[in-house]
Amino acid sequence: MARRTTDPGGRVEKAVSWTIKNLDGVVATGAALIIGLLDIFDQNVDDNVTSGATLLVLAALVFGTLTERRRRIADIREATTGTRHALEDLTMVRSLSGAELERALEQARQNTDHWIFKGGTGTYLRAVTLPVCVREAQRQRRSLSMKIDIVNPADEQACAAYARFRQTFAHRLDVVPPDAWSADRTRKESFATVLAACWYRQRLDTLEIGVHLSSVVPTLRFDLSASCLIITQDDPRRVNLLVERNRPLYDYYVTELHQSREQAVTLDLIRTEPLGEEPTVDEVYRLFDGLGLPLPAAFTDRDVSDIIDKALHPENPYRR
Protein backbone atom coordinates (compact mmCIF):
# COMPACT_ATOMS: atom_id res chain seq x y z
CA MET A 1 0.00 0.00 0.00
CA ALA A 2 1.40 3.40 -0.92
CA ARG A 3 1.85 5.84 1.90
CA ARG A 4 -0.14 9.04 1.80
CA THR A 5 2.24 11.95 1.35
CA THR A 6 1.65 15.35 2.80
CA ASP A 7 2.80 18.69 1.48
CA PRO A 8 4.41 20.75 4.27
CA GLY A 9 4.50 23.78 2.01
CA GLY A 10 0.78 23.54 1.42
CA ARG A 11 0.05 23.35 5.14
CA VAL A 12 2.20 26.39 5.76
CA GLU A 13 0.34 28.33 3.05
CA LYS A 14 -3.00 27.38 4.57
CA ALA A 15 -1.80 28.41 8.04
CA VAL A 16 -0.53 31.77 6.78
CA SER A 17 -3.75 32.34 4.85
CA TRP A 18 -5.86 31.52 7.89
CA THR A 19 -3.76 33.82 10.11
CA ILE A 20 -4.09 36.76 7.71
CA LYS A 21 -7.83 36.19 7.40
CA ASN A 22 -8.25 36.09 11.18
CA LEU A 23 -5.48 38.57 12.09
CA ASP A 24 -7.67 40.52 14.49
CA GLY A 25 -8.44 37.44 16.55
CA VAL A 26 -4.82 36.25 16.49
CA VAL A 27 -3.53 39.59 17.78
CA ALA A 28 -6.13 39.79 20.54
CA THR A 29 -5.59 36.18 21.62
CA GLY A 30 -1.78 36.51 21.53
CA ALA A 31 -1.72 39.71 23.56
CA ALA A 32 -4.14 38.36 26.13
CA LEU A 33 -2.22 35.08 26.38
CA ILE A 34 1.15 36.80 26.93
CA ILE A 35 -0.13 39.13 29.63
CA GLY A 36 -2.01 36.29 31.27
CA LEU A 37 1.06 34.03 31.39
CA LEU A 38 3.19 36.80 32.84
CA ASP A 39 0.59 37.36 35.51
CA ILE A 40 0.32 33.63 36.26
CA PHE A 41 4.07 33.23 36.73
CA ASP A 42 4.06 36.30 39.00
CA GLN A 43 6.25 38.37 36.77
CA ASN A 44 6.42 42.04 37.56
CA VAL A 45 4.54 43.64 34.75
CA ASP A 46 4.31 47.37 34.67
CA ASP A 47 0.76 48.72 34.92
CA ASN A 48 1.32 50.72 31.75
CA VAL A 49 2.19 47.53 29.90
CA THR A 50 -0.94 45.85 31.27
CA SER A 51 -3.12 48.79 30.32
CA GLY A 52 -1.55 49.00 26.89
CA ALA A 53 -2.08 45.29 26.34
CA THR A 54 -5.70 45.61 27.44
CA LEU A 55 -6.23 48.44 24.99
CA LEU A 56 -4.55 46.38 22.30
CA VAL A 57 -6.92 43.48 22.97
CA LEU A 58 -9.93 45.79 22.94
CA ALA A 59 -8.75 47.44 19.74
CA ALA A 60 -8.30 44.06 18.12
CA LEU A 61 -11.81 43.04 19.20
CA VAL A 62 -13.27 46.27 17.87
CA PHE A 63 -11.39 45.79 14.61
CA GLY A 64 -12.73 42.25 14.39
CA THR A 65 -16.27 43.45 15.05
CA LEU A 66 -16.04 46.09 12.32
CA THR A 67 -14.56 43.57 9.88
CA GLU A 68 -17.36 41.13 10.61
CA ARG A 69 -19.90 43.89 10.11
CA ARG A 70 -18.37 44.73 6.73
CA ARG A 71 -18.53 41.06 5.77
CA ARG A 72 -22.18 40.86 6.76
CA ILE A 73 -22.99 44.00 4.76
CA ALA A 74 -21.27 42.48 1.73
CA ASP A 75 -23.25 39.25 2.23
CA ILE A 76 -26.49 41.22 2.51
CA ARG A 77 -25.68 43.11 -0.68
CA GLU A 78 -24.89 39.88 -2.47
CA ALA A 79 -28.14 38.33 -1.25
CA THR A 80 -30.06 41.45 -2.30
CA THR A 81 -28.52 41.31 -5.76
CA GLY A 82 -29.49 37.65 -6.07
CA THR A 83 -33.04 38.44 -4.97
CA ARG A 84 -33.27 41.28 -7.49
CA HIS A 85 -32.16 38.98 -10.29
CA ALA A 86 -34.68 36.36 -9.17
CA LEU A 87 -37.47 38.95 -9.20
CA GLU A 88 -36.42 40.08 -12.67
CA ASP A 89 -36.66 36.49 -13.88
CA LEU A 90 -40.12 36.18 -12.33
CA THR A 91 -41.28 39.30 -14.17
CA MET A 92 -39.86 38.26 -17.53
CA VAL A 93 -43.41 37.21 -18.50
CA ARG A 94 -46.03 39.94 -18.80
CA SER A 95 -49.74 39.29 -19.18
CA LEU A 96 -51.77 40.92 -21.95
CA SER A 97 -55.48 41.38 -22.24
CA GLY A 98 -57.89 43.23 -24.49
CA ALA A 99 -56.36 46.07 -26.48
CA GLU A 100 -52.94 45.41 -24.91
CA LEU A 101 -52.54 42.35 -27.12
CA GLU A 102 -53.08 44.22 -30.38
CA ARG A 103 -50.69 46.98 -29.29
CA ALA A 104 -48.05 44.41 -28.37
CA LEU A 105 -48.38 42.67 -31.73
CA GLU A 106 -48.17 46.00 -33.53
CA GLN A 107 -44.97 46.91 -31.69
CA ALA A 108 -43.53 43.47 -32.37
CA ARG A 109 -44.05 43.98 -36.12
CA GLN A 110 -42.18 47.27 -36.14
CA ASN A 111 -38.64 47.07 -37.51
CA THR A 112 -38.42 43.29 -37.21
CA ASP A 113 -36.42 41.40 -39.82
CA HIS A 114 -37.78 37.99 -38.90
CA TRP A 115 -40.99 36.41 -37.67
CA ILE A 116 -41.69 32.90 -36.45
CA PHE A 117 -45.25 31.65 -36.15
CA LYS A 118 -46.61 28.41 -34.76
CA GLY A 119 -50.32 27.87 -34.42
CA GLY A 120 -53.40 26.31 -35.93
CA THR A 121 -54.09 27.64 -39.42
CA GLY A 122 -52.53 31.12 -39.39
CA THR A 123 -55.74 33.10 -39.86
CA TYR A 124 -54.48 36.25 -38.12
CA LEU A 125 -51.07 35.75 -39.71
CA ARG A 126 -52.63 35.96 -43.20
CA ALA A 127 -54.87 38.88 -42.33
CA VAL A 128 -52.40 41.14 -40.51
CA THR A 129 -48.91 39.87 -39.71
CA LEU A 130 -47.79 38.69 -43.16
CA PRO A 131 -49.01 41.66 -45.25
CA VAL A 132 -47.85 44.24 -42.70
CA CYS A 133 -44.38 42.74 -42.33
CA VAL A 134 -44.00 42.46 -46.12
CA ARG A 135 -45.16 46.05 -46.60
CA GLU A 136 -42.65 47.30 -44.01
CA ALA A 137 -39.84 45.30 -45.60
CA GLN A 138 -40.69 46.84 -48.99
CA ARG A 139 -40.84 50.34 -47.52
CA GLN A 140 -37.52 49.99 -45.71
CA ARG A 141 -35.93 47.99 -48.55
CA ARG A 142 -34.65 45.24 -46.28
CA SER A 143 -34.82 41.49 -46.11
CA LEU A 144 -37.45 39.58 -44.18
CA SER A 145 -37.38 36.02 -42.90
CA MET A 146 -40.58 34.23 -41.90
CA LYS A 147 -41.15 30.71 -40.67
CA ILE A 148 -44.71 29.41 -40.48
CA ASP A 149 -45.73 26.22 -38.65
CA ILE A 150 -49.40 25.25 -39.09
CA VAL A 151 -51.67 22.19 -39.07
CA ASN A 152 -51.08 19.93 -42.06
CA PRO A 153 -54.16 20.21 -44.32
CA ALA A 154 -53.36 16.79 -45.80
CA ASP A 155 -53.76 15.18 -42.36
CA GLU A 156 -57.51 14.67 -41.98
CA GLN A 157 -57.24 13.45 -38.37
CA ALA A 158 -55.21 16.48 -37.32
CA CYS A 159 -57.65 18.84 -39.03
CA ALA A 160 -60.62 17.17 -37.33
CA ALA A 161 -58.89 17.30 -33.94
CA TYR A 162 -58.10 21.00 -34.37
CA ALA A 163 -61.70 21.72 -35.36
CA ARG A 164 -62.93 19.99 -32.20
CA PHE A 165 -60.52 22.04 -30.11
CA ARG A 166 -61.71 25.31 -31.66
CA GLN A 167 -65.35 24.32 -31.17
CA THR A 168 -64.64 23.78 -27.47
CA PHE A 169 -64.14 27.53 -26.92
CA ALA A 170 -66.42 28.86 -29.67
CA HIS A 171 -69.28 29.58 -27.24
CA ARG A 172 -67.01 31.88 -25.21
CA LEU A 173 -66.28 34.24 -28.10
CA ASP A 174 -67.97 37.63 -28.08
CA VAL A 175 -68.39 37.45 -31.86
CA VAL A 176 -69.98 34.35 -33.36
CA PRO A 177 -68.00 33.25 -36.43
CA PRO A 178 -69.96 33.16 -39.69
CA ASP A 179 -69.07 29.50 -40.15
CA ALA A 180 -68.38 27.02 -37.39
CA TRP A 181 -65.07 25.24 -37.20
CA SER A 182 -65.00 21.91 -38.97
CA ALA A 183 -62.34 19.65 -40.46
CA ASP A 184 -63.20 21.05 -43.89
CA ARG A 185 -62.80 24.64 -42.76
CA THR A 186 -59.50 23.81 -41.04
CA ARG A 187 -58.13 22.35 -44.27
CA LYS A 188 -59.19 25.40 -46.28
CA GLU A 189 -57.64 27.80 -43.76
CA SER A 190 -54.33 25.93 -43.82
CA PHE A 191 -54.33 25.72 -47.62
CA ALA A 192 -55.02 29.46 -47.71
CA THR A 193 -51.99 30.18 -45.52
CA VAL A 194 -49.76 28.13 -47.83
CA LEU A 195 -51.16 29.99 -50.85
CA ALA A 196 -50.62 33.37 -49.18
CA ALA A 197 -47.00 32.48 -48.36
CA CYS A 198 -46.32 31.58 -52.00
CA TRP A 199 -48.10 34.66 -53.34
CA TYR A 200 -46.17 37.10 -51.12
CA ARG A 201 -42.88 35.31 -51.78
CA GLN A 202 -43.28 35.91 -55.51
CA ARG A 203 -43.78 39.63 -54.89
CA LEU A 204 -40.83 40.31 -52.58
CA ASP A 205 -37.45 39.00 -53.67
CA THR A 206 -35.95 39.67 -50.24
CA LEU A 207 -38.61 37.56 -48.52
CA GLU A 208 -37.30 34.24 -47.24
CA ILE A 209 -40.34 32.28 -46.14
CA GLY A 210 -40.69 28.70 -44.99
CA VAL A 211 -43.89 26.74 -44.42
CA HIS A 212 -43.96 23.70 -42.16
CA LEU A 213 -46.96 21.40 -41.79
CA SER A 214 -47.50 19.67 -38.47
CA SER A 215 -49.71 16.75 -37.51
CA VAL A 216 -49.64 17.81 -33.85
CA VAL A 217 -52.64 19.94 -32.87
CA PRO A 218 -51.50 23.12 -31.08
CA THR A 219 -53.42 24.66 -28.21
CA LEU A 220 -51.43 27.90 -28.22
CA ARG A 221 -50.21 30.36 -30.84
CA PHE A 222 -46.65 31.64 -30.83
CA ASP A 223 -45.56 34.84 -32.58
CA LEU A 224 -41.85 35.51 -32.21
CA SER A 225 -40.23 38.65 -33.57
CA ALA A 226 -36.83 40.27 -33.14
CA SER A 227 -38.03 42.04 -29.99
CA CYS A 228 -40.35 39.65 -28.16
CA LEU A 229 -42.41 36.47 -28.04
CA ILE A 230 -46.20 36.68 -27.75
CA ILE A 231 -48.20 33.61 -26.72
CA THR A 232 -51.94 33.66 -27.36
CA GLN A 233 -54.82 31.20 -27.28
CA ASP A 234 -58.48 30.92 -28.18
CA ASP A 235 -60.06 31.10 -24.74
CA PRO A 236 -60.88 34.82 -24.25
CA ARG A 237 -61.20 34.36 -20.49
CA ARG A 238 -57.53 33.55 -20.15
CA VAL A 239 -54.69 36.04 -20.43
CA ASN A 240 -52.07 36.15 -23.16
CA LEU A 241 -48.35 36.33 -22.44
CA LEU A 242 -45.45 38.46 -23.62
CA VAL A 243 -41.77 37.59 -23.14
CA GLU A 244 -39.15 40.22 -23.94
CA ARG A 245 -36.03 39.33 -25.87
CA ASN A 246 -32.85 38.64 -23.85
CA ARG A 247 -34.89 36.72 -21.30
CA PRO A 248 -34.16 33.02 -20.77
CA LEU A 249 -37.71 32.00 -21.71
CA TYR A 250 -37.40 33.76 -25.08
CA ASP A 251 -34.29 31.74 -25.91
CA TYR A 252 -35.93 28.53 -24.69
CA TYR A 253 -38.84 29.00 -27.08
CA VAL A 254 -36.53 29.81 -30.00
CA THR A 255 -35.13 26.32 -29.53
CA GLU A 256 -38.55 24.78 -28.90
CA LEU A 257 -40.05 26.24 -32.07
CA HIS A 258 -37.04 25.15 -34.08
CA GLN A 259 -37.45 21.57 -32.86
CA SER A 260 -41.15 21.67 -33.74
CA ARG A 261 -40.35 22.68 -37.31
CA GLU A 262 -37.74 19.93 -37.56
CA GLN A 263 -40.47 17.36 -36.87
CA ALA A 264 -42.94 18.84 -39.38
CA VAL A 265 -43.28 18.45 -43.15
CA THR A 266 -41.35 21.22 -44.88
CA LEU A 267 -42.67 22.57 -48.18
CA ASP A 268 -40.21 23.51 -50.92
CA LEU A 269 -41.25 26.97 -52.10
CA ILE A 270 -38.21 27.64 -54.28
CA ARG A 271 -39.89 26.66 -57.54
CA THR A 272 -43.60 27.29 -57.45
CA GLU A 273 -46.22 27.90 -60.11
CA PRO A 274 -46.40 31.62 -60.99
CA LEU A 275 -49.42 33.32 -59.49
CA GLY A 276 -51.19 36.35 -60.89
CA GLU A 277 -52.37 39.33 -58.87
CA GLU A 278 -55.68 37.50 -58.62
CA PRO A 279 -54.74 33.81 -58.99
CA THR A 280 -57.04 31.65 -61.04
CA VAL A 281 -58.40 28.31 -59.95
CA ASP A 282 -56.15 26.50 -62.44
CA GLU A 283 -53.06 28.33 -61.15
CA VAL A 284 -53.87 27.30 -57.61
CA TYR A 285 -54.38 23.67 -58.61
CA ARG A 286 -51.02 23.63 -60.37
CA LEU A 287 -49.35 25.37 -57.45
CA PHE A 288 -50.39 22.77 -54.89
CA ASP A 289 -49.63 19.89 -57.27
CA GLY A 290 -46.12 21.30 -57.69
CA LEU A 291 -45.71 21.54 -53.91
CA GLY A 292 -46.59 17.88 -53.50
CA LEU A 293 -49.68 18.96 -51.55
CA PRO A 294 -52.56 18.34 -53.96
CA LEU A 295 -55.98 19.72 -53.14
CA PRO A 296 -58.57 17.08 -52.13
CA ALA A 297 -60.44 15.55 -55.04
CA ALA A 298 -63.70 16.48 -53.31
CA PHE A 299 -62.89 20.20 -53.56
CA THR A 300 -64.87 22.04 -56.22
CA ASP A 301 -63.86 25.17 -58.07
CA ARG A 302 -65.97 27.07 -55.58
CA ASP A 303 -63.92 25.61 -52.72
CA VAL A 304 -60.72 26.68 -54.45
CA SER A 305 -62.12 30.18 -54.98
CA ASP A 306 -62.89 30.26 -51.27
CA ILE A 307 -59.26 29.37 -50.51
CA ILE A 308 -58.05 32.18 -52.81
CA ASP A 309 -60.32 34.66 -51.07
CA LYS A 310 -59.12 33.54 -47.61
CA ALA A 311 -55.49 33.81 -48.73
CA LEU A 312 -55.52 37.25 -50.36
CA HIS A 313 -58.57 39.00 -48.92
CA PRO A 314 -58.76 37.77 -45.32
CA GLU A 315 -60.54 39.60 -42.52
CA ASN A 316 -58.94 40.20 -39.15
CA PRO A 317 -60.65 37.52 -37.02
CA TYR A 318 -60.14 39.54 -33.84
CA ARG A 319 -61.33 42.92 -35.04
CA ARG A 320 -64.09 44.24 -32.82
Side-chain angles (χ1 to χ4, degrees):
M1 174 181 285
R3 294 184 179 180
R4 180 179 299 176
T5 60
T6 58
D7 183 7
R11 287 185 295 178
V12 171
E13 290 179 359
K14 290 181 180 179
V16 172
S17 177
W18 182 89
T19 301
I20 294 174
K21 186 176 180 180
N22 301 277
L23 185 60
D24 51 343
V26 172
V27 172
T29 303
L33 183 61
I34 292 172
I35 299 301
L37 289 174
L38 290 174
D39 186 57
I40 290 173
F41 290 104
D42 199 21
Q43 298 294 326
N44 293 324
V45 182
D46 190 88
D47 290 342
N48 291 332
V49 175
T50 305
S51 299
T54 302
L55 292 174
L56 179 62
V57 171
L58 291 175
L61 292 175
V62 170
F63 177 77
T65 301
L66 293 175
T67 301
E68 182 63 24
R69 181 176 297 177
R70 286 196 298 271
R71 290 173 183 168
R72 289 180 179 178
I73 292 174
D75 291 341
I76 291 173
R77 286 177 179 172
E78 183 179 353
T80 303
T81 302
T83 302
R84 186 176 68 253
H85 290 325
L87 289 174
E88 289 176 354
D89 288 340
L90 287 174
T91 58
M92 66 181 176
V93 178
R94 181 160 60 90
S95 62
L96 302 170
S97 59
E100 293 178 330
L101 174 59
E102 185 58 39
R103 286 196 297 270
L105 287 167
E106 182 179 358
Q107 291 176 358
R109 291 190 292 265
Q110 294 178 356
N111 301 318
T112 188
D113 61 351
H114 68 270
W115 194 280
I116 299 174
F117 172 81
K118 176 177 173 57
T121 60
T123 309
Y124 181 84
L125 178 82
R126 288 195 316 272
V128 181
T129 304
L130 181 55
V132 171
C133 287
V134 168
R135 187 165 59 247
E136 284 299 303
Q138 290 174 328
R139 185 180 66 84
Q140 300 181 27
R141 297 187 177 183
R142 56 171 169 77
S143 62
L144 174 64
S145 173
M146 299 195 76
K147 301 185 188 309
I148 303 171
D149 188 346
I150 57 175
V151 173
N152 189 345
D155 190 329
E156 296 184 13
Q157 292 184 343
C159 291
Y162 182 74
R164 288 194 300 270
F165 170 73
R166 291 299 300 265
Q167 282 291 93
T168 302
F169 301 105
H171 66 282
R172 299 180 182 179
L173 297 174
D174 296 333
V175 179
V176 179
D179 53 336
W181 278 94
S182 62
D184 187 60
R185 179 186 173 185
T186 300
R187 301 178 79 179
K188 286 183 179 180
E189 298 284 352
S190 286
F191 277 124
T193 298
V194 175
L195 176 58
C198 295
W199 190 86
Y200 279 104
R201 184 181 182 279
Q202 293 181 10
R203 277 147 186 80
L204 179 62
D205 292 337
T206 58
L207 173 60
E208 179 186 348
I209 190 166
V211 178
H212 308 267
L213 307 178
S214 176
S215 293
V216 178
V217 177
T219 59
L220 298 172
R221 287 186 295 267
F222 300 89
D223 287 276
L224 188 144
S225 74
S227 61
C228 66
L229 163 68
I230 299 176
I231 305 174
T232 56
Q233 25 91 62
D234 296 302
D235 187 350
R237 299 190 303 184
R238 303 180 68 180
V239 298
N240 306 293
L241 304 176
L242 181 144
V243 181
E244 298 287 350
R245 189 179 179 178
N246 298 325
R247 297 292 187 180
L249 194 57
Y250 179 96
D251 297 329
Y252 295 161
Y253 271 110
V254 169
T255 303
E256 176 70 19
L257 295 175
H258 172 77
Q259 287 300 108
S260 176
R261 294 192 301 274
E262 287 292 304
Q263 300 173 52
V265 176
T266 302
L267 294 180
D268 184 6
L269 306 184
I270 295 179
R271 294 184 179 86
T272 55
E273 178 70 20
L275 297 169
E277 288 300 316
E278 288 294 330
T280 65
V281 171
D282 290 338
E283 287 177 348
V284 172
Y285 270 117
R286 289 195 297 268
L287 173 77
F288 283 107
D289 287 341
L291 291 173
L293 186 70
L295 294 172
F299 274 19
T300 64
D301 287 355
R302 183 174 181 179
D303 291 322
V304 178
S305 296
D306 191 22
I307 291 173
I308 296 172
D309 189 58
K310 288 177 179 292
L312 304 183
H313 308 289
E315 294 183 2
N316 185 346
Y318 307 113
R319 178 177 294 167
R320 293 291 186 259

